[in-house]
Amino acid sequence: MEIAPIKNDNDYLNALERLEVIFDAAPNSIEGEEAEILTMLIDNYENQYFPIDAPDPIEAIKIRMEEMNIKQKDLVGIIGGKSSVSEILNRKKRLTVDMIRELEKVLNISASVLVNNYKLSK
């Protein structure tokens, strides 16, 4: 078991190939421990060089609405009146803290996603 830091894309690809070979190793075996360490190294490298941007709050709301078969009118009373819902979903107005709290409960979207900044349309 020769494990080294992942310093470049070549090291990263080699680590991925090795992990693929030993992925199903028994947890407390030498290869199982190697797989566990490689997973951490790969994860660290990916977080550093391939970060995933936080999702857009309005897109997250729209996706969840579609998943839950919720229409725009169903949000009336939850985040405000008909015009407020329309303004939010059309990016004319920003979410307030109270709206975020309600959306977190009703749509089960993390507040950490909903507080992300997004561009308003003009």
Side-chain angles (χ1 to χ4, degrees):
M1 170 169 77
E2 183 182 319
I3 298 178
I6 300 174
K7 296 179 181 178
N8 54 48
D9 287 347
N10 193 46
D11 292 346
Y12 172 69
L13 293 174
N14 288 335
L16 286 174
E17 285 177 21
R18 177 63 182 154
L19 183 59
E20 193 172 313
V21 170
I22 61 172
F23 188 77
D24 292 323
N28 291 322
S29 67
I30 291 173
E31 286 184 335
E33 290 179 2
E34 180 184 359
E36 192 174 333
I37 293 168
L38 275 176
T39 300
M40 289 187 280
L41 290 171
I42 290 167
D43 187 51
N44 183 57
Y45 187 81
E46 288 175 345
N47 288 337
Q48 186 174 1
Y49 293 101
F50 309 115
I52 297 173
D53 292 334
D56 176 88
I58 302 306
E59 285 307 309
I61 292 168
K62 289 178 179 180
I63 289 168
R64 188 55 55 90
M65 286 172 65
E66 188 174 317
E67 290 172 351
M68 298 174 73
N69 201 26
I70 292 175
K71 305 288 181 231
Q72 186 169 323
K73 64 180 175 128
D74 298 326
L75 294 180
V76 173
I78 295 169
I79 60 172
K82 187 176 177 182
S83 63
S84 285
V85 173
S86 178
E87 289 172 335
I88 293 295
L89 295 178
N90 290 306
R91 300 171 187 275
K92 303 282 184 198
K93 189 174 170 184
R94 294 210 178 275
L95 291 166
T96 66
V97 173
D98 288 337
M99 290 175 184
I100 289 170
R101 285 185 184 127
E102 289 303 312
L103 288 168
E104 183 179 35
K105 281 188 256 179
V106 173
L107 299 180
N108 199 25
I109 300 174
S110 170
S112 64
V113 169
L114 297 171
V115 298
N116 287 319
N117 204 4
Y118 56 93
K119 291 187 179 199
L120 294 176
S121 62
K122 297 180 182 193

